[in-house]
Amino acid sequence: MRAYGHETDGVTAVPEEAAHLVAAARRLLDEETLTSTVDWMTANAGPTVSGRAWSTTTLRRRLRNPAVAGLRENADGELVKGPAEPLIDRETFDALQELFTRNERGQGDKPKHVHYLSGGIATCALCQGPLVSRSTANGGRGYVCEAEGCGKVRISAEPLDEYIGERVLAHLKDKARLKWLVAIRDQFAAEAKRAAVFLEQLAAHKAELARAYGAKDLTLAEFKAAKAALEGKRTEAMSKVRRGKALDELPELTPEGLEEWWHATAGREQRRALVQLVVAGVRVGPATVRGSRRFDEARFDIEWR
């Protein structure tokens, strides 16, 4: 039986089915649950090739298969170009694998809140340490200071993220700031193109490294170090490519265009990309009243880029 998205030869793409897999991948990466995405596939793509309704296992297995990205595993367990026509791009495939692995480690099918301020952008106003994402007592997520000797700042993540998003939109109503945003977007787009070229050349770099090791021009330790360095560059390049794609999907850069895009079109990852493009940091102070759940704007100090 053929695999969904490819003809019986396992190589030729079926365009309509490929489009549905691309849409499913985008839904998952935009934090839709696997269950809701399966329901969407059944309703919009129809049954699987076996005539059954889609299940979470079936969709996950198909999107886990390297062939959907035109890849295969070689004898060393590395992913290399395979014979199948790619249905989704490599960056999307890798992002899906990270998502599935994260879910398998305990997050299950629960949708994950996308934190606009992740990666150290939110800091404690008392100790200047980064705030980390943690579960709250009511089952939500929060930003928490865990620095030794401090630990006095915590706040629910979603209200703060929503507030920062609103401030970003207000900040970008200024024409000079929009002009700056255009320049930064173009700079990151150029970086993304260079990163994409590097990713295309990565297989050749690895092959050259393997030949040098085989010819005993490198010791095992040198080979492992060089390979690890390449993997680090690959991770950095993929991050730049993803950022470039998110920014490439920005609308016409006018206050009205951004406002409509933010509320009607943008996915959460796209909104995070815009926030982190504009905001250098957010210092969060302790609650003025212990145990208060009131959202107090005076606690926050935004540093703009």
Side-chain angles (χ1 to χ4, degrees):
M1 183 179 294
R2 70 179 181 87
Y4 187 90
H6 283 121
E7 298 285 4
T8 52
D9 59 9
V11 173
T12 308
V14 180
E16 184 177 356
E17 294 179 2
H20 283 118
L21 288 177
V22 168
R26 286 176 178 166
R27 289 174 65 88
L28 290 170
L29 294 177
D30 198 31
E31 306 305 324
E32 291 287 343
T33 66
L34 188 57
T35 299
S36 67
T37 302
V38 161
D39 291 341
W40 180 89
M41 283 290 288
T42 299
N44 293 273
T48 65
V49 292
S50 64
R52 298 187 178 91
W54 285 88
S55 69
T56 55
T57 300
T58 302
L59 183 59
R60 185 192 296 110
R61 183 185 298 124
R62 185 56 181 141
L63 292 176
R64 277 251 190 219
N65 192 320
V68 299
L71 304 169
R72 64 174 180 82
E73 275 195 14
N74 64 14
D76 295 324
E78 297 178 328
L79 292 179
V80 298
K81 186 175 180 180
E85 292 183 4
L87 312 180
I88 61 177
D89 60 62
R90 176 66 187 268
E91 291 74 31
T92 299
F93 177 77
D94 286 338
L96 284 171
Q97 307 322 300
E98 292 174 11
L99 174 67
F100 290 139
T101 299
R102 193 164 61 234
N103 287 345
E104 288 165 0
R105 287 174 180 165
Q107 293 185 9
D109 197 39
K110 183 179 179 180
K112 177 177 175 289
H113 172 66
V114 176
H115 298 82
Y116 297 160
L117 307 180
S118 61
I121 290 183
T123 58
C124 173
L126 299 178
C127 71
Q128 285 72 56
L131 300 185
V132 296
S133 171
R134 291 288 181 263
S135 297
T136 60
N138 63 5
R141 301 293 292 182
Y143 293 115
V144 179
C145 174
E146 294 186 341
E148 186 175 354
C150 187
K152 298 176 182 178
V153 169
R154 60 177 59 238
I155 185 170
S156 294
E158 294 194 42
L160 177 57
D161 286 334
E162 290 174 6
Y163 168 74
I164 296 300
E166 292 170 0
R167 290 291 305 277
V168 164
L169 291 178
H171 184 75
L172 292 175
K173 287 183 178 179
D174 182 271
K175 290 183 179 179
R177 290 166 182 157
L178 280 176
K179 186 177 180 180
W180 168 86
L181 180 59
V182 171
I184 293 297
R185 180 193 61 184
D186 293 345
Q187 173 191 328
F188 284 167
E191 288 183 4
K193 288 182 180 178
R194 290 194 293 270
V197 170
F198 170 77
L199 289 172
E200 290 177 357
Q201 298 171 343
L202 186 59
H205 292 325
K206 287 185 175 181
E208 183 179 347
L209 194 61
R211 283 194 296 270
Y213 176 62
K216 298 185 178 179
D217 293 333
L218 296 174
T219 65
L220 179 58
E222 289 171 335
F223 171 73
K224 288 182 176 180
K227 187 175 180 181
L230 276 181
E231 283 301 316
K233 290 181 179 179
R234 173 179 171 274
T235 299
E236 181 183 352
M238 286 176 58
S239 176
K240 289 180 178 179
V241 169
R242 283 197 292 267
R243 180 177 63 185
K245 283 188 175 181
L247 296 176
D248 190 48
E249 294 172 352
L250 284 175
E252 178 187 1
L253 292 180
T254 64
E256 299 76 17
L258 279 174
E259 184 90 25
E260 181 179 358
W261 171 82
W262 181 275
H263 294 295
T265 306
R268 281 172 283 188
E269 288 288 357
Q270 293 171 309
R271 293 197 292 269
R272 176 167 64 178
L274 178 60
V275 168
Q276 296 198 357
L277 179 64
V278 177
V279 176
V282 178
R283 287 183 292 277
V284 183
T288 53
V289 179
R290 186 177 178 84
S292 173
R293 294 187 178 183
R294 184 176 68 87
F295 189 80
D296 182 4
E297 295 184 19
R299 295 179 63 186
F300 317 116
D301 182 19
I302 302 174
E303 179 185 354
W304 304 101
R305 294 190 189 278

